[in-house]
Amino acid sequence: MIEATNLPKNLELEKNILGSLLIDKNALPLVIGLLNEDVFYDLKHKKIFSTIKSMFDKHISIDITTIAQKLQGDKAMDEVGGAYYLSKLTDNIVHTNHLNTHIEMVVELYKKRQAYLTLIQKSSEFLHPDTESLDSISSLISKLLGLQEFGNIYEQTIDQIVMQVITKRDMAQKGELLGFDTGFTELNTTIGGWCAPDMVVVAARPGAGKTAFMLSSVYHLAILKNVSTAIFSLEMSSEQLVERLESITSQVPLKRLRMNILNDYEKDVVMKADDKIIQAPIYIDDTGGLNISQLRAKATILKHKYGIKVIFIDYLQLMSGQGKSNQNREQEVSTISRNIKALAKELEVPIIALSQLSRRVEERADKIPQLSDLRESGSIEQDADIVVMLMRPEYYEMQESVEIKGKEYHPNGLVICKVEKNRHGITTNIPLRFIGETITIQNHNE
């Protein structure tokens, strides 16, 4: 084990940063905004920085004299090595041009120390007989990821952000998608594709086509477009999902696949479909009862290992949280929803979370879902950037034609894709088609 005295540190750099604060008032907001006293290794430096920060927060003028007075008043001058040590901090500071570099270096040393100490602290957990390994790993990864994000001084300037906005607008003008192909033409036009870092909720009643919608999109993303895609399936097994992808890819009815009653032509088609699926960048995790901490850990690993671009979760209400033990289910789902949104931003990927609708839909004559029907949590609609709701008239044995944008559609095979919330544009109803034999959803005109 490394002794405390051998932990990574550079006391001269710490002195340079503190000295810069004493001679350059412009350095104060930058350093105080990025660092805290824990970044400093030396106890004297911790105390000096905490004093400077306290004075800055109270709008007290900061120089060697005022800091000395403050330390004297707090009877803390001896803690920082006395007035002589304080005065020597500015001796080697000619200018503060290299302050950013010094901050980076000190933060890097702090991260190394904290990573080492975190690993030492966590090591005992792995030896405890009652500890679940995945929980400990998830906790460890979460701490290390939080450490990784600390002290980032490369914030984007407004001109950089404006240029990014203009670039995306130019892409849209040329007819290019801002995000990844959803597999549904009019949905792409409405929301711009699956865009990072959106949290998209796809909601429907059980059996109405949520998983079919997801797998149809995965087919277009991963199998046709070679986009790295992750599926976290809490309801269906990985084998079931692959079998359904086989049916979608081969267009061989799922029932014939499952019963293995294929003719020679179908066997050949399925083998070719399997080749496509094997080569596709699809990563499936079917851990039951996945909690939000485990999701974050696994998604982060997939992102770094395989460059995941899009994440699907099937489905949100089957996840468990790691909140307070006295939380009710609605509060727990709210916590899960907020964390999924945060994860989308953290990993810079779109996350499409499938969600159940409550039975209130069944009580309405038209069976058209509303945002208030999202099950177990009103916060889902608040956290989501986009909410898509699916409804199949055939599911409710409706016989009358359905009007969408002035056009009549026969209920057989019709899927009403209702974009109920869209931070980036309009809300609308989109007609899609459900193919029962292969449990596929596709553009209505295909």
Side-chain angles (χ1 to χ4, degrees):
M1 183 184 296
I2 298 177
E3 295 181 7
T5 54
N6 293 328
L7 289 172
K9 60 185 179 295
N10 188 320
L11 302 188
E12 288 304 313
L13 282 177
E14 293 184 9
K15 289 180 183 178
N16 287 341
I17 291 173
L18 293 173
S20 296
L21 295 180
L22 298 179
I23 65 171
D24 185 358
K25 288 181 172 56
N26 293 326
L28 284 164
L30 171 67
V31 178
I32 289 173
L34 287 171
L35 305 184
N36 58 47
E37 63 185 82
D38 294 332
V39 171
F40 296 89
Y41 178 86
D42 192 292
L43 293 176
K44 298 189 295 295
H45 300 163
K46 287 178 185 288
K47 183 61 181 177
I48 293 169
F49 181 81
S50 66
T51 301
I52 292 173
K53 185 177 186 309
S54 173
M55 294 171 65
F56 179 82
D57 292 341
K58 295 174 182 176
H59 306 286
I60 300 173
S61 178
I62 295 170
D63 55 39
I64 290 179
T65 303
T66 56
I67 290 172
Q69 289 173 344
K70 172 66 173 168
L71 290 167
Q72 289 282 14
D74 293 343
K75 301 187 181 336
M77 186 61 84
D78 289 342
E79 289 182 43
V80 303
Y84 177 75
Y85 188 87
L86 195 63
S87 67
K88 297 295 286 182
L89 290 176
T90 59
D91 278 2
N92 298 320
I93 309 296
V94 178
H95 52 70
T96 60
N97 291 354
H98 302 299
L99 183 59
N100 277 6
T101 303
H102 292 166
I103 291 172
E104 286 180 37
M105 294 170 71
V106 167
V107 166
E108 176 66 16
L109 293 167
Y110 165 73
K111 288 181 178 181
K112 287 183 177 180
R113 291 196 303 271
Q114 289 301 112
Y116 171 76
L117 294 172
T118 298
L119 290 171
I120 293 299
Q121 178 188 2
K122 286 288 180 183
S123 63
S124 60
E125 287 187 18
F126 290 100
L127 300 177
H128 198 283
D130 297 329
T131 301
E132 291 287 339
S133 62
L134 189 56
D135 288 341
S136 293
I137 292 170
S138 298
S139 174
L140 175 60
I141 290 174
S142 295
K143 285 182 177 293
L144 294 178
L145 284 172
L147 193 59
Q148 178 183 325
E149 294 300 315
F150 180 84
N152 178 19
I153 67 173
Y154 295 107
E155 296 178 352
Q156 288 182 304
T157 58
I158 190 66
D159 59 318
Q160 292 173 316
I161 298 170
V162 169
M163 288 307 298
Q164 290 173 6
V165 170
I166 292 172
T167 299
K168 288 185 177 181
R169 199 176 295 139
D170 289 342
M171 288 172 61
Q173 188 177 26
K174 294 174 185 175
E176 298 177 31
L177 283 178
L178 301 179
F180 298 102
D181 187 0
T182 65
F184 308 105
T185 305
E186 194 173 343
L187 185 61
N188 284 338
T189 304
T190 304
I191 67 173
W194 302 135
C195 298
D198 282 352
M199 173 187 171
V200 182
V201 172
V202 177
R205 287 293 293 148
K210 295 187 299 298
T211 305
F213 181 91
M214 175 187 77
L215 291 177
S216 299
S217 186
V218 169
Y219 167 72
H220 281 269
L221 282 166
I223 296 175
L224 295 186
K225 300 292 180 70
N226 203 43
V227 175
S228 295
T229 305
I231 303 172
F232 290 92
S233 177
L234 289 84
E235 184 174 40
M236 298 178 66
S237 71
S238 55
E239 289 85 356
Q240 289 172 316
L241 293 177
V242 168
E243 202 165 43
R244 286 179 61 166
L245 278 173
E246 283 182 316
S247 182
I248 292 171
T249 307
S250 68
Q251 292 298 292
V252 172
L254 181 61
K255 183 177 179 180
R256 293 179 64 81
L257 265 174
R258 299 201 69 186
M259 301 300 293
N260 197 22
I261 47 175
L262 307 176
N263 58 39
D264 289 342
Y265 171 75
E266 288 171 331
K267 288 178 182 178
D268 184 57
V269 170
V270 172
M271 284 182 64
K272 290 177 180 177
D274 284 340
D275 286 340
K276 291 180 182 178
I277 294 170
I278 287 168
Q279 295 175 37
I282 303 172
Y283 306 92
I284 301 174
D285 185 300
D286 60 359
T287 304
L290 192 72
N291 64 45
I292 190 64
S293 178
Q294 292 168 335
L295 172 69
R296 185 184 184 206
K298 292 184 175 201
T300 302
I301 291 169
L302 288 173
K303 169 74 174 179
H304 289 290
K305 191 173 181 180
Y306 300 113
I308 293 298
K309 298 290 192 298
V310 184
I311 294 174
F312 289 87
I313 301 170
D314 185 11
Y315 59 90
L316 195 149
Q317 282 85 1
L318 288 179
M319 290 190 66
S320 59
Q322 285 192 322
K324 299 175 181 177
S325 58
N326 61 349
Q327 282 186 327
N328 60 37
R329 182 55 184 165
E330 183 169 335
Q331 291 171 327
E332 188 177 25
V333 172
S334 296
T335 300
I336 293 166
S337 175
R338 284 194 302 272
N339 277 276
I340 289 174
K341 175 58 185 171
L343 182 62
K345 291 188 70 175
E346 182 181 316
L347 298 184
E348 272 295 309
V349 300
I351 296 182
I352 299 90
L354 277 53
S355 177
Q356 289 278 30
L357 292 174
S358 71
R359 289 190 178 90
R360 283 177 293 186
V361 178
E362 320 287 333
E363 298 169 4
R364 288 193 289 274
D366 61 6
K367 312 300 183 189
I368 299 295
Q370 302 172 1
L371 284 176
S372 58
D373 297 322
L374 283 168
R375 186 176 163 192
E376 291 183 324
S377 176
S379 75
I380 297 176
E381 64 178 274
Q382 296 170 18
D383 297 326
D385 298 286
I386 294 165
V387 177
V388 174
M389 295 182 163
L390 305 176
M391 182 271 195
R392 290 199 294 125
E394 191 176 17
Y395 178 80
Y396 294 105
E397 299 180 351
M398 293 181 175
Q399 303 298 321
E400 296 182 5
S401 60
V402 178
E403 182 180 326
I404 300 177
K405 298 176 183 175
K407 185 176 178 180
E408 298 288 331
Y409 292 88
H410 195 279
N412 289 351
L414 176 66
V415 179
I416 301 172
C417 175
K418 185 182 184 186
V419 181
E420 181 73 350
K421 177 183 178 181
N422 182 9
R423 286 196 204 277
H424 316 305
I426 63 169
T427 58
T428 187
N429 289 344
I430 299 168
L432 299 175
R433 184 180 297 283
F434 179 76
I435 310 298
E437 285 191 331
T438 55
I439 315 186
T440 311
I441 294 179
Q442 58 186 219
N443 293 314
H444 196 273
N445 56 2
E446 287 184 4

